[in-house]
Amino acid sequence: VAFFLIVSWNLGAVRADTITDNAQKFIENLADNSLKTLTGPGVDIDERRRRFRVLLHNNFAVKTIGRWVLGRYWRKAKPPQIEEYFTLFEDLVVKTYADRFAKLSGISLTITKAVSKGTKDIVVYSELRNDDDIKKASIEWRLRSQNNQFRIVDVMVEGISMGLTQRDEFASVIKKNGLGVEGLLQELRKRKTL
């Protein structure tokens, strides 16, 4: 019995190490691909956004994030509102973050560690560094395995959750205008045209 327990524990530890190693490789590959395809000198804004949308679909749990960001208002939304919300939410994410990549030329991402969080998530810790190897920011990537593939469910920059920040902002918009989810949709429609 003791031998079985020791072997089982060691196999569990090896499996956890493999998962965290794979999570680190996932983020390394994503960072390399993103920095190469989104920061090049000849990439105009429309092409950058198109490329970012592809990366978003392939690497982020967009629907999981969008639902979480909408919070308690998710249950109050009607199916047509949810459909439009996901479209507008994705457009907002693409516009916001793709444009930020234009400023990341000469930046690299260094992975420092990966840690399992609970039974579902792994957090990969990393640092953005400039050409002189000076740390610019700490970034934590929360990953979840979906259909045997990693998907990002949150990103924390300098300890601030991008998902939580967006959730707080959306809740504020909804409370301020008093129109529920429809008020948020109106605001997101405006931002799309800016």
Side-chain angles (χ1 to χ4, degrees):
V1 173
F3 174 75
F4 176 74
L5 291 174
I6 290 169
V7 169
S8 296
W9 181 82
N10 284 337
L11 287 175
V14 167
R15 185 175 179 277
D17 286 348
T18 301
I19 291 170
T20 55
D21 287 348
N22 289 341
Q24 287 184 49
K25 288 177 187 155
F26 173 83
I27 293 299
E28 284 172 354
N29 290 337
L30 173 61
D32 288 345
N33 192 17
S34 299
L35 292 170
K36 283 177 190 168
T37 61
L38 299 174
T39 62
V43 183
D44 68 25
I45 191 165
D46 291 331
E47 180 62 17
R48 185 178 299 110
R49 287 179 182 175
R50 188 196 67 73
R51 291 178 185 183
F52 184 84
R53 192 178 299 273
V54 171
L55 289 169
L56 183 70
H57 280 277
N58 291 339
N59 299 288
F60 287 76
V62 179
K63 295 222 178 207
T64 300
I65 296 166
R67 183 176 178 161
W68 188 84
V69 165
L70 195 54
R72 64 188 175 100
Y73 300 102
W74 174 263
R75 291 187 300 268
K76 298 176 183 180
K78 295 176 177 73
Q81 290 176 316
I82 289 173
E83 187 177 334
E84 183 180 10
Y85 165 73
F86 276 127
T87 300
L88 292 170
F89 175 72
E90 182 179 309
D91 289 344
L92 176 70
V93 170
V94 168
K95 186 176 182 180
T96 301
Y97 294 100
D99 294 355
R100 291 182 185 175
F101 269 92
K103 302 171 188 162
L104 293 180
S105 186
I107 297 289
S108 63
L109 189 84
T110 303
I111 306 295
T112 57
K113 65 180 176 177
V115 178
S116 292
K117 298 285 184 177
T119 58
K120 297 194 287 186
D121 293 356
I122 296 168
V123 176
V124 177
Y125 296 83
S126 66
E127 297 175 346
L128 271 182
R129 296 187 168 272
N130 66 13
D131 284 337
D132 297 325
D133 202 32
I134 297 170
K135 179 181 162 188
K136 303 295 281 179
S138 296
I139 302 177
E140 298 170 24
W141 310 81
R142 183 172 287 272
L143 306 179
R144 188 167 293 157
S145 182
Q146 295 180 340
N147 302 320
N148 294 321
Q149 293 185 318
F150 288 118
R151 291 289 181 261
I152 298 164
V153 294
D154 195 15
V155 179
M156 295 180 68
V157 178
E158 293 295 325
I160 299 169
S161 162
M162 299 296 99
L164 184 57
T165 300
Q166 196 70 70
R167 183 177 178 145
D168 290 345
E169 181 187 346
F170 283 6
S172 176
V173 168
I174 290 170
K175 286 177 189 172
K176 182 179 174 183
N177 66 35
L179 298 174
V181 173
E182 186 54 39
L184 175 62
L185 294 177
Q186 288 175 8
E187 177 64 25
L188 293 177
R189 287 180 206 123
K190 281 187 216 169
R191 292 187 191 185
K192 185 174 179 173
T193 61
L194 296 177

